[in-house]
Amino acid sequence: MRELIDHTEGINRLLARYGVKFGLYKNGNFHEQLFPFDAIPRVISHEDFLYLEKGLIQRVDALNLFLNDVYGDKKIIKDGVIPEEFVFSSSGYLPECEGMVPPKGIHSHISGIDLVLGKDKEWYILEDNLRIPSGASYPMIAREICRQASPRTFHNHLIVDNRNYAEMLREMMDYVNVGGIPVIMTPGRYNAAYFEHSFLAERTGCELAMCSDLFVEKNFLYYKDYRGEKKKVGVIYRRISDEYLDPMTFLPESLIGVPNIMDVYRSGNVSIVNAPGNGVADDKGIYYFVPRMIRYYLDQEPVLKNAPTYLPFYEEDKKYVLDHLDKLVVKDVAEAGGYGVIFGNELSKEKLSDLKELIERESRRFIAQEVIDFQDLNIMEGEEMVPRKADLRAFVLSGKETKVWASGLTRFSRKADSFVVNSSQGGGFKDTWVLSR
């Protein structure tokens, strides 16, 4: 392990050379920066991983059933398990997807589930990411470089090999392919996750395409290669948001989408990974209801716990939130990437009062959660080892079977006492070792 830590600087230099960066737009300008890597891994025991695997498969299966239901028969709404107005007021609900059944009935092919390990030794799920979750490429490339830097480390520890993610991804894409080539669609190199798009295309053998390489003809989607030859596309792993996907269906001003791709999808002539409309299931407000979904669709008790969550949408919860606001964390359901997260204990009396008024006025917009005192992981800061808060993004792939990748993206805060670990907020990342026994 010491040998690996001693190579940290060299590993980060190689990551930078390979383009392992993320981009941010600030004040209309694009900034690209290194995603800092810490060589001390997060270690998950074999037993812990089996427990996580069971809970994650259960959760993602229930979420896929919910998505099929909410765009179909809506039984969960008719049976009063989730309020109708709560679903349809979600910014992630797309009326344009009503009645659509994706190939093989799978909506969330790639789910990024964010968890933390509390100091009580319990794993808590913080949120579900079912639209275009990113981050799998970072532990893949980091592990590759770490193997080169210190082969003895990996020879001496019983670590599950994480190089199979590309194989899992391609296997899932082949399963839902309706006939044609597989494509990974990127908005281009100025996207925050462009490294991942190109890396996964290379590792899976998929074509990497921008919107200018794709077109619709006679209700099929085609890819035009550099020679000008066109090839029918059977499955497209799109890395752009729903609203930009098709200017004929969603935002007409979108310049990075493919006109009429939704008509092709509606006809069953292409599979889109992940399916449009998934945002209704990873809305931070809908998160509150996932344990109910598991009981409703699977008739099982949830294996993994939600963080204790309150919905100001309900009067009883609203009263609790307003009475205890200085001890809770409040999240804007429409925000992501660590934005829209407010810790009540950091607010002045005046700002607490303003927030209370806002919650009273726009109760559907927020959830509130107890602050989980989650475990610190050690990182290297110069020559010193210091504790920092860290979470885990687990990747769950749904194809013929639902599978959990035996790895994951561990993100950590680089600021002492900060609970915000997102890369967009200055966080770093670690490799995640799952022990084989």
Side-chain angles (χ1 to χ4, degrees):
M1 184 76 73
R2 184 70 240 181
E3 185 179 26
L4 200 55
I5 293 169
D6 290 342
H7 281 91
T8 300
E9 190 177 329
I11 292 168
N12 273 292
R13 277 200 304 269
L14 276 175
L15 289 171
R17 188 180 300 173
Y18 283 127
V20 185
K21 301 176 182 179
F22 63 93
L24 293 172
Y25 283 95
K26 285 186 179 178
N27 303 319
N29 296 313
F30 179 77
H31 301 273
E32 203 169 45
Q33 59 194 69
L34 181 70
F35 192 8
F37 173 72
D38 182 77
I40 305 173
R42 158 172 251 151
V43 180
I44 297 176
S45 71
H46 179 67
E47 293 75 17
D48 259 12
F49 180 73
L50 291 178
Y51 170 77
L52 286 172
E53 184 178 47
K54 182 180 179 182
L56 290 165
I57 289 172
Q58 178 194 60
R59 191 175 182 95
V60 169
D61 283 348
L63 285 162
N64 264 310
L65 288 167
F66 168 73
L67 284 161
N68 263 312
D69 187 16
V70 83
Y71 286 114
D73 294 337
K74 300 172 180 56
K75 289 179 182 177
I76 200 166
I77 295 172
K78 292 172 186 173
D79 289 343
V81 179
I82 299 178
E84 178 180 29
E85 63 270 31
F86 207 86
V87 173
F88 299 139
S89 67
S90 168
S91 60
Y93 169 74
L94 299 181
E96 297 87 349
C97 294
E98 271 296 323
M100 288 190 188
V101 180
K104 304 290 172 66
I106 301 167
H107 285 261
S108 187
H109 310 81
I110 304 161
S111 306
I113 311 297
D114 293 345
L115 310 98
V116 293
L117 181 60
K119 289 186 176 174
D120 59 1
K121 306 295 186 186
E122 288 276 2
W123 286 94
Y124 293 92
I125 291 179
L126 291 186
E127 62 182 51
D128 308 291
N129 299 279
L130 311 180
R131 287 177 249 197
I132 42 173
S134 63
S137 63
Y138 299 117
M140 287 172 72
I141 187 70
R143 178 81 63 88
E144 198 170 289
I145 295 171
C146 286
R147 280 179 176 278
Q148 295 167 12
S150 178
R152 279 186 303 179
T153 300
F154 295 89
H155 178 76
N156 295 335
H157 292 84
L158 298 169
I159 308 160
V160 177
D161 193 338
N162 77 346
R163 288 176 287 188
N164 66 334
Y165 184 80
E167 181 185 326
M168 291 171 66
L169 179 58
R170 180 60 189 264
E171 183 183 84
M172 175 274 291
M173 291 177 71
D174 288 346
Y175 178 70
V176 297
N177 193 328
V178 298
I181 65 166
V183 163
I184 292 178
M185 181 188 179
T186 177
R189 75 162 304 275
Y190 291 109
N191 181 264
Y194 180 72
F195 163 77
E196 177 153 287
H197 309 165
S198 56
F199 182 80
L200 292 178
E202 177 192 336
R203 295 304 167 94
T204 57
C206 297
E207 297 289 353
L208 182 66
M210 292 177 60
C211 61
S212 55
D213 304 315
L214 300 163
F215 63 96
V216 170
E217 186 176 281
K218 296 181 181 177
N219 214 27
F220 288 95
L221 180 67
Y222 290 93
Y223 165 75
K224 186 183 288 186
D225 67 19
Y226 68 95
R227 294 183 296 258
E229 294 179 14
K230 71 176 188 181
K231 301 173 183 177
K232 187 157 77 76
V233 177
V235 56
I236 182 167
Y237 176 15
R238 51 76 181 236
R239 296 299 299 255
I240 67 172
S241 300
D242 289 350
E243 61 268 30
Y244 298 106
L245 187 57
D246 184 345
M248 308 304 289
T249 301
F250 304 118
L251 288 177
E253 62 267 32
S254 172
L255 300 176
I256 55 174
V258 181
N260 301 310
I261 191 174
M262 286 297 290
D263 292 336
V264 182
Y265 175 63
R266 191 177 289 109
S267 302
N269 292 336
V270 72
S271 182
I272 299 179
V273 174
N274 279 340
N278 281 8
V280 68
D282 71 9
D283 180 303
K284 287 183 177 67
I286 292 292
Y287 160 95
Y288 177 90
F289 297 100
V290 178
R292 297 188 191 184
M293 290 179 202
I294 292 169
R295 297 183 186 102
Y296 180 79
Y297 293 117
L298 303 177
D299 195 24
Q300 298 171 2
E301 279 303 305
V303 174
L304 293 168
K305 296 180 179 179
N306 274 14
T309 304
Y310 307 95
L311 230 57
F313 176 81
Y314 293 123
E315 283 302 321
E316 185 180 348
D317 279 17
K318 186 196 289 185
K319 183 178 186 310
Y320 180 87
V321 170
L322 296 178
D323 289 346
H324 299 84
L325 197 55
D326 59 334
K327 298 180 179 67
L328 300 172
V329 56
V330 176
K331 296 180 180 180
D332 188 322
V333 300
E335 296 282 2
Y339 296 100
V341 177
I342 305 164
F343 287 86
N345 62 1
E346 296 177 357
L347 299 181
S348 64
K349 284 186 179 180
E350 185 181 352
K351 290 194 173 180
L352 270 174
S353 177
D354 290 344
L355 182 57
K356 283 181 180 180
E357 287 181 20
L358 189 57
I359 291 170
E360 283 273 21
R361 194 167 62 246
E362 301 180 45
S363 56
R364 170 62 179 88
R365 181 178 162 186
F366 300 98
I367 64 168
Q369 294 179 325
E370 303 286 353
V371 179
I372 296 174
D373 190 10
F374 55 97
Q375 287 191 4
D376 299 288
L377 296 180
N378 285 329
I379 71 164
M380 295 304 297
E381 198 169 80
E383 294 299 314
E384 188 183 0
M385 194 178 286
V386 295
R388 292 289 184 267
K389 298 297 180 190
D391 77 351
L392 171 67
R393 173 164 292 180
F395 291 90
V396 186
L397 275 64
S398 301
K400 188 174 183 179
E401 301 172 78
T402 307
K403 297 180 180 180
V404 181
W405 183 38
S407 186
L409 176 64
T410 292
R411 300 173 297 183
F412 62 86
S413 172
R414 289 195 290 161
K415 298 176 184 174
D417 303 319
S418 173
F419 285 74
V420 181
V421 300
N422 306 71
S423 56
S424 56
Q425 305 291 307
F429 81 103
K430 293 173 168 287
D431 194 1
T432 305
W433 290 4
V434 174
L435 300 185
S436 56
R437 65 170 187 263

